[in-house]
Amino acid sequence: MGTVFSFDVRTPGFDTTVLDDAVDILQDIDARFSTFRDDSEVSRLAAGTLRISECSEDVQWVLRRCAELTAETDGYFSAYAGGALDPSGLVKGWAIEQASDLLCMAGSTSHCVNGGGDVQCVGWAGPDTPWRVGVSHPLRRGELATVVTGTDLAVATSGSAERGAHVVDPHTRRAPGALASVTLIGRHLSDVDAYATAAFAMDDAARGWLESLDGFRAFVVQADGATWSTGF
């Protein structure tokens, strides 16, 4: 997926051999969804050499969920934002959540799965100690913009600091310029990651939409360095 994944497991006595299975899941997802591999299902769909009905159940589910997210975000989240099929805005968060769910089924009650800075945290970091997730400042390299604390939470940030102008407004096909980053906090990373991407694409309209979301908190750094938040 073009990024680094890490696992931080705090559950005492947890059988860490299940981490091999989690890595296998991530590699399988990459093999089916990567836009950088010509043989992936997503690439073959985009090329017209594979029909949706011939795809795996996971690929079909992701495409249906992408369509739902497009409706939920007034079109600001789109698997076709750049013109060609690319569901990566959902897939990375969903993949992290899949790996986390596997660890939970294996008995882990306290862990954090991190994929390129987007995290799914389960339980507590330690006795009476919540997880602390640092959010990089998009305009000041090496500094933190804020620290998110909590339990059983997902945190995702969308912006241009790390990967450049890779998010575009699907309505205009241009990169937004009003915001430097949008960090969203919720329970499920598949939703949190996709909503953060949509909010960043909304530019100045993001604040009203983010304030309307139930069960989510947001921290935003504007292009001029000013910050604001919702849900805190």
Side-chain angles (χ1 to χ4, degrees):
M1 300 181 199
T3 191
V4 175
F5 284 73
S6 65
F7 301 87
D8 183 353
V9 181
R10 306 289 177 91
T11 304
F14 175 72
D15 183 359
T16 57
T17 59
V18 74
L19 294 175
D20 292 334
D21 296 329
V23 171
D24 288 343
I25 285 178
L26 294 174
Q27 291 177 336
D28 179 63
I29 291 173
D30 185 60
R32 284 183 285 138
F33 288 92
S34 175
T35 58
F36 301 102
R37 300 174 56 148
D38 292 338
D39 61 343
S40 74
E41 291 181 49
V42 165
S43 292
R44 292 165 61 199
L45 270 173
T49 60
L50 184 70
R51 295 192 298 267
I52 292 179
S53 60
E54 298 172 322
C55 292
S56 63
E57 291 184 7
D58 280 346
V59 170
Q60 293 187 44
W61 181 89
V62 163
L63 295 179
R64 288 195 301 271
R65 182 59 185 142
C66 283
E68 293 171 353
L69 286 164
T70 299
E72 292 170 14
T73 62
D74 295 325
Y76 282 98
F77 179 92
S78 173
Y80 297 89
L85 175 63
D86 183 1
S88 302
L90 169 63
V91 169
K92 187 179 76 167
W94 172 74
I96 294 168
E97 197 173 336
Q98 293 290 298
S100 175
D101 287 346
L102 181 65
L103 268 59
C104 287
M105 289 187 289
S108 174
T109 57
S110 301
H111 66 255
C112 175
V113 182
N114 184 326
D118 296 334
V119 301
Q120 182 77 52
C121 299
V122 171
W124 296 72
D128 299 321
T129 304
W131 292 99
R132 293 174 54 84
V133 181
V135 177
S136 297
H137 201 295
L139 304 176
R140 303 170 190 165
R141 184 168 293 276
E143 295 185 24
L144 294 180
T146 190
V147 176
V148 177
T149 62
T151 60
D152 292 316
L153 79 165
V155 183
T157 298
S158 182
S160 58
E162 298 297 328
R163 297 174 54 196
H166 68 288
V167 176
V168 299
D169 178 346
H171 301 293
T172 64
R173 298 289 167 82
R174 294 195 297 266
L179 307 180
S181 69
V182 174
T183 297
L184 203 62
I185 304 102
R187 291 296 301 272
H188 303 287
L189 191 58
S190 54
D191 291 336
V192 169
D193 195 11
Y195 285 163
T197 300
F200 185 77
M202 289 178 189
D203 241 356
D204 287 324
R207 188 165 194 160
W209 184 76
L210 287 168
E211 289 175 342
S212 73
L213 291 179
D214 292 329
F216 295 86
R217 294 177 288 157
F219 177 84
V220 176
V221 181
Q222 297 181 169
D224 62 4
T227 65
W228 49 267
S229 61
T230 68
F232 285 90

